[in-house]
Amino acid sequence: MRKLHTFHGGIHPAEHKLESSAQPSLRAPLPQRLVLPLKQHIGSAAKALVQAGDKVLKGQLLAAAEGMLSAAIHAPTSGTVAAIDFHAVAHPSGLPELCIVLQPDGEDRWLEHAGFDYRALPRDELLNRLRDAGIVGLGGATFPTHVKLNNAQHIQTLILNGAECEPWITTDDRLMCERAAEIVQGIEILRYLAQPADTLIGIEDNKPQAIAAMQQACAGSGIEVVVIPTLYPSGGEKQLIKILTGKEVPSGGRPLNIGVVCSNVATAFAIHRMVNHGEPLISRLITVTGNVKSPRNIEALIGTPIAELVQLAGGALEDANGYIVGGPMMGLEVTNAQLPVVKGSNCIIVKSDKLFPAPPPALPCIRCTRCVQVCPAELQPQDLYWFARAKNLGKAQSYNLFDCIECGACSYVCPSNIPLVQYYRFAKSEIWANERDKEAANLARERHEFHLLRIEREKQDKADKLAQKEKAALAAKAAAATQAQPIPSQPAQSQPAPDPATVSATDAVAIDALRAQVREIAHPEAKHTKE
Amino acid sequence: MLIALLVMSFIALALGAVLGFSALKFRVEGNPLVDKIDAILPQTQCGQCSFPGCKPYATAIAAGEADINRCPPGGEEGIRKLADLLGKEFIPFGEDTAAPKPKSVAVIDENTCIGCTLCIQACPVDAIAGAAKQMHTIIAVECTGCELCVAPCPVDCITMVPLPQTLQTWKWQYPEDAQEKKAP
């Protein structure tokens, strides 16, 4: 039996898992229309490769990964690209994002595809294929998997995250119950890539069925299923690593710094589908729960509108008033039912006042430090709140604001109902904005200094040239004067007429110099354009 | 008595020599306060403070010749930072100073541009590309929005366009403002 460790704090919110976890999952029929945002992952948006009007097949590459940190997007079904346009997405800003809109043709015709033997491929090639298949972390953060595994070789521990600690969400639970063997095949691919000494699967003890299924599937494979106590947020990456290994990810660091790679079980499943069946990431399991008739998990194509999934779960009940994308602790409240589900959407909760009453108005902080007791990142939430509220951003940063995982445990226990996480998000985005401004100011300063230098240099060049010309003109004049005065002893009245050729030459030089001066004064810009 | 005097004067001379040497060796070039003030200023180089750029304004502030409330692009936040740095009280914008505007970039109407290069000469950060009798255009990422190119244009083809909000520049609202908005 593995010795388990504990992380600091944590809370026990009402679980609400049984509503949806008992129902077998359902495959959603083809939706009316699919909306695929070009940016469904952390990093830069994918680059569209198709045009409006193009006919595409299921699994066809629609947008390629662009830059180091990016992932590809594929057609979830066959059909026609209706448009590439700005469309509302599930983002707290409510700003529209560039999306590919796909009109399904109803045939669901696959592009020719087949699995391949990953052991026969070089490691780089396999990672490239993960990138081109659009595989990202499906636990919620949507970090591109090929980037995560890029430097992960001969690591100590590979951790598969099946904790699923957030209330209401049951997708990983259902996936482990129904697809345990396939998840294990995906884990084998991850093990091949990362070559870990240990491979662990962490599952909370409120999922007995999933634990049994995974234990059965892992028998004899060397993968250890570890049952951990139910406590929010044990499914947080850093928290799960602490529970299973006792090691802490350093502040500002990555799990790889301590020889650990953590990946979601759903990601392992997606890797298996891609490697062994040649299917890119075009669908995922989503929990649809809350104020609906029959809460359940649905295997939906990426890009399906929320409204169609809610219909499949029996439809919203009468007092429904909006949706939460993600879980109730960390998710995002939206009202638009036409928003598409993306790679990172693991849950849609239909809200009602009964299930999610509006929070009472916030009262002043009484410094009870209950938030300190529950903070899993061992921060001082009350101080961070104080600094964020006073817009004292530097101080907030020095109290390790960026180690906050925004789990919401502090807001959950706050007796004054202060929306603490909102303050931290505000402070974080202000700090990022200030850094952007600072960079822009530095660039402008550099360019302005260069501009002044350039003006100075041009002035200097001009002065030098003028001096040279004057010198030349003087020299010419002097030369002409010496030629013109060959017999100075002769009387003034008998001064011979100067040689006409010499006179005209001297004058021409002087006139040229004058002209050049005038030209320069009149058209200073003409000079450097000629050069 | 004499030995004591000699010892003391020797120590005084030695220390004086060390101080004199370090004053020459470790001399700080320029006024470090000017650089600190300059780091707070937004570097738009717009001249709205009546100085020909951010650095001259910073120099004037450091010399005590200018107030800290003359930089509209820096906003009230900028005044607050300057007040903190200099140990002064916060003062609101003066009446003769323009009101802060949302961050904008200049855009040249390329159909109207006659290629006179006057805007190129006015731009303090060389953010305009073009040549005589050729169409000009603005390098948007390098434009500071100083508006200095607008006035010299003989055909009025330059307009200031406020920067739209994107997912990259979007910020979370201050929670108390957000609540006030929801309340009514």
Side-chain angles (χ1 to χ4, degrees):
Chain A
M1 192 71 193
R2 180 167 284 271
K3 182 183 179 291
L4 291 182
H5 304 262
T6 52
F7 63 89
H8 179 266
I11 52 171
H12 286 284
E15 287 177 19
H16 291 291
K17 299 252 190 194
L18 293 174
E19 282 91 334
S20 56
S21 66
Q23 294 280 338
S25 69
L26 185 86
R27 188 182 283 251
L30 278 185
Q32 292 289 318
R33 208 170 69 129
L34 290 157
V35 178
L36 303 153
L38 289 177
K39 188 176 182 306
Q40 302 185 21
H41 44 263
I42 287 184
S44 42
K47 187 181 168 195
L49 299 176
V50 289
Q51 289 181 336
D54 284 3
K55 293 238 184 297
V56 295
L57 292 175
K58 181 171 185 167
Q60 187 177 331
L61 186 67
L62 296 184
E66 176 94 333
M68 287 294 288
L69 193 63
S70 186
I73 313 275
H74 298 78
T77 183
S78 60
T80 315
V81 177
I84 300 177
D85 204 357
F86 284 94
H87 193 278
V89 293
H91 188 274
S93 65
L95 290 171
E97 215 176 314
L98 208 53
C99 300
I100 297 177
V101 181
L102 187 66
Q103 194 66 49
D105 58 11
E107 290 173 26
D108 207 24
R109 203 143 43 88
W110 264 101
L111 188 77
E112 208 160 295
H113 64 290
F116 54 90
D117 179 14
Y118 60 91
R119 290 175 201 275
L121 281 181
R123 193 183 134 86
D124 284 354
E125 175 60 22
L126 185 52
L127 288 178
N128 283 345
R129 289 201 186 185
L130 286 182
R131 183 192 64 202
D132 296 339
I135 309 277
V136 298
L138 296 179
T142 60
F143 190 82
T145 303
H146 68 278
V147 182
K148 188 186 249 184
L149 292 171
N150 196 17
N151 293 319
Q153 259 177 308
H154 303 291
I155 58 165
Q156 184 59 39
T157 319
L158 172 68
I159 292 177
L160 272 297
N161 191 342
E164 198 162 53
C165 59
E166 201 163 346
W168 293 97
I169 310 177
T170 57
T171 63
D172 292 345
D173 185 3
R174 270 329 297 174
L175 194 73
M176 286 189 285
C177 290
E178 295 174 9
R179 308 289 181 96
E182 290 176 87
I183 293 173
V184 172
Q185 287 186 46
I187 298 173
E188 290 298 345
I189 301 165
L190 283 170
R191 285 173 85 186
Y192 170 75
L193 280 166
Q195 291 141 316
D198 301 317
T199 307
L200 311 173
I201 307 178
I203 308 176
E204 277 191 347
D205 59 9
N206 60 0
K207 297 182 245 313
Q209 258 189 305
I211 293 167
M214 289 309 291
Q215 271 168 344
Q216 202 189 346
C218 291
S221 65
I223 305 170
E224 192 182 337
V225 177
V226 188
V227 181
I228 59 173
T230 299
L231 177 67
Y232 181 84
S234 60
E237 185 175 61
K238 292 173 182 173
Q239 284 65 41
L240 187 64
I241 291 171
K242 180 80 198 288
I243 294 172
L244 294 180
T245 67
K247 291 191 229 173
E248 266 182 34
V249 180
S251 171
R254 295 248 175 101
L256 198 54
N257 298 137
I258 52 167
V260 179
V261 165
C262 191
S263 195
N264 192 272
V265 287
T267 316
F269 176 70
I271 292 173
H272 155 74
R273 295 302 303 179
M274 176 253 157
V275 171
N276 295 329
H277 297 272
E279 295 173 9
L281 181 54
I282 52 170
S283 67
R284 68 158 299 152
L285 202 61
I286 296 171
T287 309
V288 183
T289 183
N291 198 30
V292 289
K293 277 208 190 77
S294 52
R296 66 188 318 148
N297 280 283
I298 299 173
E299 192 188 333
L301 298 178
I302 307 292
T304 307
I306 291 174
E308 297 202 18
L309 295 181
V310 172
Q311 277 311 312
L312 286 173
L317 297 175
E318 264 169 24
D319 55 345
N321 62 351
Y323 310 88
I324 300 173
V325 178
M329 304 296 290
M330 297 180 71
L332 172 73
E333 289 188 22
V334 297
T335 47
N336 182 355
Q338 291 310 313
L339 298 180
V341 298
V342 292
K343 290 176 182 174
S345 322
N346 50 8
C347 182
I348 290 160
I349 304 174
V350 180
K351 282 198 325 173
S352 74
D353 280 337
K354 220 163 86 193
L355 289 174
F356 300 97
L363 299 170
C365 171
I366 55 169
R367 299 229 155 203
C368 64
T369 65
R370 271 158 86 175
C371 47
V372 180
Q373 287 160 29
V374 298
C375 179
E378 294 181 63
L379 299 172
Q380 301 284 315
Q382 85 288 8
D383 283 338
L384 288 174
Y385 158 67
W386 222 243
F387 297 138
R389 198 176 156 209
K391 299 181 185 173
N392 193 345
L393 303 174
K395 201 83 177 151
Q397 207 171 350
S398 72
Y399 273 58
N400 297 319
L401 173 68
F402 283 97
D403 283 342
C404 167
I405 57 168
E406 300 178 20
C407 68
C410 50
S411 312
Y412 181 81
V413 296
C414 180
S416 293
N417 306 306
I418 301 170
L420 293 161
V421 177
Q422 287 181 29
Y423 281 93
Y424 308 149
R425 285 176 174 159
F426 157 75
K428 283 182 187 177
S429 72
E430 280 297 311
I431 291 170
W432 284 322
N434 285 351
E435 261 164 34
R436 277 197 303 271
D437 287 351
K438 196 119 227 178
E439 262 169 42
N442 285 341
L443 178 75
R445 181 184 297 116
E446 215 173 89
R447 289 186 72 83
H448 180 60
E449 276 165 10
F450 181 76
H451 170 84
L452 294 179
L453 190 81
R454 183 174 65 79
I455 302 259
E456 197 54 42
R457 197 184 59 205
E458 272 165 16
K459 252 189 208 159
Q460 191 62 45
D461 285 355
K462 212 179 276 177
D464 286 352
K465 266 189 195 152
L466 206 62
Q468 263 177 17
K469 270 177 196 158
E470 267 170 12
K471 225 174 161 184
L474 277 178
K477 245 183 201 167
T482 46
Q483 265 189 12
Q485 293 174 335
I487 18 176
S489 59
Q490 280 199 352
Q493 68 266 41
S494 67
Q495 195 170 354
D499 181 5
T502 325
V503 171
S504 63
T506 334
D507 280 359
V509 171
I511 288 167
D512 266 0
L514 265 176
R515 264 194 197 141
Q517 273 179 42
V518 169
R519 205 184 302 136
E520 262 174 42
I521 291 162
H523 307 280
E525 76 284 351
K527 194 176 122 257
H528 26 96
T529 51
K530 262 188 210 160
E531 275 168 6
Chain B
M1 176 68 186
L2 193 65
I3 291 172
L5 272 176
L6 282 174
V7 167
M8 290 307 282
S9 34
F10 174 74
I11 291 173
L13 280 172
L15 289 176
V18 168
L19 281 175
F21 173 74
S22 45
L24 288 175
K25 175 82 181 166
F26 304 111
R27 196 154 58 104
V28 180
E29 292 292 333
N31 188 349
L33 187 60
V34 173
D35 284 338
K36 276 188 193 161
I37 297 170
D38 195 41
I40 292 173
L41 298 176
Q43 304 302 321
T44 41
Q45 319 293 353
C46 59
Q48 290 183 63
C49 52
S50 79
F51 292 89
C54 296
K55 192 85 177 230
Y57 179 42
T59 316
I61 294 178
E65 288 161 5
D67 278 335
I68 55 172
N69 63 346
R70 307 194 56 86
C71 177
E76 292 202 342
E77 188 61 30
I79 303 181
R80 234 171 238 120
K81 280 186 192 156
L82 286 174
D84 271 359
L85 175 71
L86 301 167
K88 289 187 178 173
E89 282 292 309
F90 169 82
I91 37 173
F93 279 113
E95 275 172 18
D96 56 334
T97 326
K101 289 181 200 165
K103 199 172 173 337
S104 314
V105 288
V107 174
I108 291 179
D109 177 6
E110 290 162 359
N111 294 323
T112 321
C113 173
I114 54 169
C116 69
T117 75
L118 287 175
C119 58
I120 295 183
Q121 292 163 52
C123 180
V125 288
D126 291 341
I128 306 180
K133 299 204 177 121
Q134 306 289 323
M135 184 190 74
H136 299 352
T137 195
I138 289 181
I139 308 165
V141 285
E142 276 154 10
C143 174
T144 63
C146 68
E147 303 188 9
L148 291 181
C149 54
V150 177
C153 180
V155 289
D156 288 337
C157 73
I158 306 179
T159 42
M160 299 306 294
V161 177
L163 281 177
Q165 206 176 36
T166 65
L167 288 181
Q168 279 73 45
T169 59
W170 174 81
K171 295 192 284 184
W172 282 91
Q173 221 181 355
Y174 187 58
E176 278 163 37
D177 296 346
Q179 268 165 11
E180 269 167 36
K181 251 187 200 170
K182 261 185 200 172

